[in-house]
Amino acid sequence: MINRYNPNETIWERWSLNAALFPEKEAIVHWDAEAEPYRWTFGSLLQNADRVALALMRKGISKGDVCAIIVRHNAGFYPLYLAIASIGAIPAVLAYPNGRLHPEKFRQGLEGMARHSGLDWIMTERELEHIIAPLTLSQNSMIRGIIFPLELHEDVPVSNDEYKEILNIRNNMKSTDPFLLQHSSGTTGLQKPVLLTHKEILLQIANYSEAVKLTDKDKIATWLPLYHDMGLIAAFHMPLASGITAIQMDPFQWVMVPEILLDAISKEKATLSWLPNFAFNLMSDKIRTEDLEGISLESVRMLINCSEPVRYDSFMKFLASFGHLGITKEKLAASYGMAEITFSATQTEPGVEPRHLEVDRQLLSKGTVKLANSSTQVVRVCVSSGKPIGKTKIKILGQEGSELPEGMVGEIVIKSETVFEGYRNYPEKTAEVLKDGWYYSGDYGFLWEGYLYAIGRKKDIIIVAGNNIYPEDVEDQVMQAGGVIPGRVIAFGEEDPAIGSEQISVIAESHFTEPEMLKKLRLDIIKTGMQIDVTIKNVYIVPPRWLIKSSAGKPARKANMERILKSKEEVLWG
Amino acid sequence: MISDRLKKTILNVLHLEDFEIQDDTRADEVPGWDSLNHINVILAVENEYKVRFKNIEVLKLKNIGDLQKLVDSKTN
């Protein structure tokens, strides 16, 4: 296995070296519940990437072009991604639109991203042509063309000139060149592009490999989407750069039949997997005993909980369901990270149960950590996400921006060798979060004996099953339901312990009073959410002037959330 | 043709009082029936009809008409 870090190395060089050293070793096994797994070796994957690279060059794609990939998770994705990178173009993996997402909303979101991220090419499937094609026809369009990569069949022999051109590009790549464009996750329009270099990605992989003690015996099993940093960096780039196998599957298949992950772990003897917190609940609740026949999870070293606040109950539930198959407390792990740091800032130690603290919830909400004792009225169990990896530094800042001591709650700020340089074409957003090399995460947490505990968010972002949802997006949509008073809506996340995640709630003012009208309005509000592919779980319809306004004259999200949750019985109309 | 029993089972699990469901209605057209809730709907239908679906059968469902046909094939 290769995990030495060389600051001058490019990712393409690393892939080529792996293909030369382990041509027959499996690089990516694409697991499919409906078919036999498709197995790419390091050798076959690179050979295929060469073929696709040539086809892309013939289509006019050149070094520095940003190529958005909007394809379903399938075996053809991997050589395409490698091919784009191999000619110095910049891949940007975007989510394939769900059928719920309104085509016009999808187009608007893509148009906004194209403007900010500078998307040059869209690589997609024929099924989306009618939605995306109009974008390329508009006069101001920055998008130069649509390509259907899964239909590319290049059997024409490579000419000497073409071969020289490809070699020339690859030989001139530098480790400081931009490699990929990751988007901070979110709903339409508000995704922010993070440009990462070869160096940042390889350094993150080196630091993270060290933190999880990666060896050549490891195998990663994952259903994570590749447009998310946890899926792309931890479960795709890390194995590919380290010369170990990744077993990949489509997130939509996993969510419908979650036992396929356990089946893949068992059959392929996988050792590592990353899961957002809700996945621990979902698998515990939905997988039936009879579906576990013949499954062993003995091979697992670490199941790493990341991307959502880690909940102790979710871990315990998972242990109760799968402990008999070989999962122990020591195999459950946690990490804390984000696209802006390339992926991870902290990691718990392999083979050691993540630390957890039982603290006084009332004092915690006031910003102080006090361990619970027999007189504590309400206890909250906080699970640690581990210690900073590599040379990462973490500080906790108070409201005035001063550093707080251990045991005090404040904003988590991070300094890392792999921190991003800024959002592409968003200087104002960059200035908000990046100050003197420190990244202001917008998350609340505390340090205790050098370990980080992330407990909530300063920003209003709602995290549903690992996805970031911006309340502004939901509010804009809900406003379109006839009967909602313009500007008088707030959206927020409501904790749902049953699923181990948050659910979206909406409070909307309306003049309606008739029960039938209120019933219809409630359904209309839920339907508006569907158009941007978000599920609104709770709708609270309130009379005019019910919402509390902030000093700026807008409904205050937090104050209204607290009001409705304290008194929902009395004010719930719909 | 979607039976009232199947429709009622689906609407109950999604906490919907009413919603029109046709043979060609897709899951993503029904409020609340997202990928996370899909498994709840399938479990509710299995419980209602006392049947078991195989993974592959669930993955091949394209619309609610297909779900009705699958239920019919298991119960007849």
Side-chain angles (χ1 to χ4, degrees), chain A residues 66 112-119 181 183 191-193 424-425:
Chain A
V66 178
M113 283 169 83
R115 216 170 25 247
H116 286 288
S117 309
L119 307 181
L181 202 58
H183 284 83
Q191 293 182 314
K192 296 185 290 290
R424 199 172 206 218
N425 302 329

Side-chain angles (χ1 to χ4, degrees), chain A residues 158-457:
Chain A
V158 188
S159 70
N160 275 344
D161 285 349
E162 284 175 321
Y163 187 63
K164 267 188 207 159
E165 195 181 339
I166 287 185
L167 275 187
N168 191 36
I169 292 170
R170 291 175 182 173
N171 291 338
N172 285 310
M173 274 183 194
K174 291 189 201 72
S175 65
T176 48
D177 285 346
F179 181 87
L180 78 91
L181 202 58
Q182 276 202 110
H183 284 83
S184 62
S185 61
T187 35
T188 56
L190 284 167
Q191 293 182 314
K192 296 185 290 290
V194 174
L195 195 62
L196 297 172
T197 63
H198 295 252
K199 194 174 173 174
E200 284 157 350
I201 296 167
L202 287 177
L203 186 52
Q204 164 74 210
I205 289 168
N207 290 340
Y208 197 73
S209 305
E210 180 66 32
V212 296
K213 298 191 168 64
L214 199 74
T215 77
D216 56 4
K217 296 204 170 48
D218 278 312
K219 273 189 183 181
I220 288 164
T222 173
W223 58 265
L224 296 171
L226 294 163
Y227 54 79
H228 190 280
D229 54 297
M230 185 161 64
L232 189 66
I233 303 296
F236 176 73
H237 268 285
M238 188 163 79
L240 211 49
S242 307
I244 65 169
T245 309
I247 299 107
Q248 294 269 349
M249 62 198 75
D250 181 344
F252 285 109
Q253 275 198 359
W254 171 78
V255 80
M256 280 201 270
V257 191
E259 60 268 30
I260 63 170
L261 176 71
L262 304 186
D263 191 33
I265 289 175
S266 181
K267 291 200 172 100
E268 302 288 332
K269 297 198 171 23
T271 60
L272 295 168
S273 194
W274 286 263
L275 304 162
N277 191 80
F278 85 93
F280 287 86
N281 283 47
L282 188 132
M283 290 200 284
S284 309
D285 292 339
K286 311 297 181 200
I287 298 176
R288 289 174 281 209
T289 314
E290 63 258 40
D291 294 326
L292 295 171
E293 207 175 309
I295 287 181
S296 164
L297 303 176
E298 290 289 345
S299 61
V300 170
R301 280 208 304 120
M302 295 172 94
L303 294 178
I304 303 171
N305 192 327
C306 189
S307 296
E308 278 190 284
V310 181
R311 291 165 171 91
Y312 187 70
D313 289 351
S314 304
F315 271 166
M316 291 304 108
K317 211 173 196 181
F318 196 83
L319 267 183
S321 301
F322 306 113
H324 66 292
L325 299 177
I327 297 298
T328 61
K329 279 183 181 175
E330 294 74 24
K331 294 183 177 186
L332 300 176
S335 177
Y336 172 75
M338 62 281 301
E340 287 84 350
I341 304 290
T342 305
F343 164 52
S344 172
T346 71
Q347 174 63 48
T348 56
E349 210 181 322
V352 180
E353 182 189 353
R355 289 182 172 216
H356 66 275
L357 299 176
E358 291 185 359
V359 304
D360 184 320
R361 183 189 280 272
Q362 284 162 329
L363 285 175
L364 190 73
S365 67
K366 292 185 175 70
T368 307
V369 180
K370 183 176 177 289
L371 297 184
N373 56 32
S374 55
S375 66
T376 307
Q377 288 185 327
V378 196
V379 173
R380 173 167 173 176
V381 185
C382 300
V383 182
S384 166
S385 297
K387 282 185 168 178
I389 67 164
K391 292 178 183 168
T392 305
K393 289 189 180 124
I394 289 183
K395 288 195 297 197
I396 304 295
L397 298 189
Q399 284 182 342
E400 276 79 46
S402 54
E403 188 174 352
L404 297 175
E406 282 206 346
M408 298 290 283
V409 179
E411 183 174 6
I412 302 168
V413 301
I414 304 159
K415 188 168 240 178
S416 163
E417 297 166 293
T418 61
V419 71
F420 76 138
E421 283 170 19
Y423 298 115
R424 199 172 206 218
N425 302 329
Y426 271 107
E428 71 290 357
K429 296 271 179 207
T430 303
E432 281 173 22
V433 298
L434 204 57
K435 295 164 194 169
D436 297 329
W438 288 88
Y439 172 67
Y440 285 61
S441 70
D443 292 330
Y444 276 138
F446 63 89
L447 291 166
W448 189 270
E449 296 175 347
Y451 287 79
L452 178 71
Y453 294 76
I455 60 165
R457 283 176 305 286

Side-chain angles (χ1 to χ4, degrees), chain A residues 52-105:
Chain A
V52 181
L54 178 68
L56 295 180
M57 279 185 57
R58 287 176 178 167
K59 292 274 181 192
I61 292 165
S62 54
K63 190 180 172 185
D65 288 355
V66 178
C67 301
I69 310 174
I70 312 173
V71 297
R72 277 172 279 215
H73 204 137
N74 69 82
F77 169 90
Y78 317 108
L80 170 66
Y81 183 92
L82 267 67
I84 294 169
S86 81
I87 52 173
I90 300 168
V93 188
L94 305 182
Y96 193 87
N98 187 313
R100 292 156 60 88
L101 184 59
H102 193 280
E104 189 52 39
K105 285 283 163 194

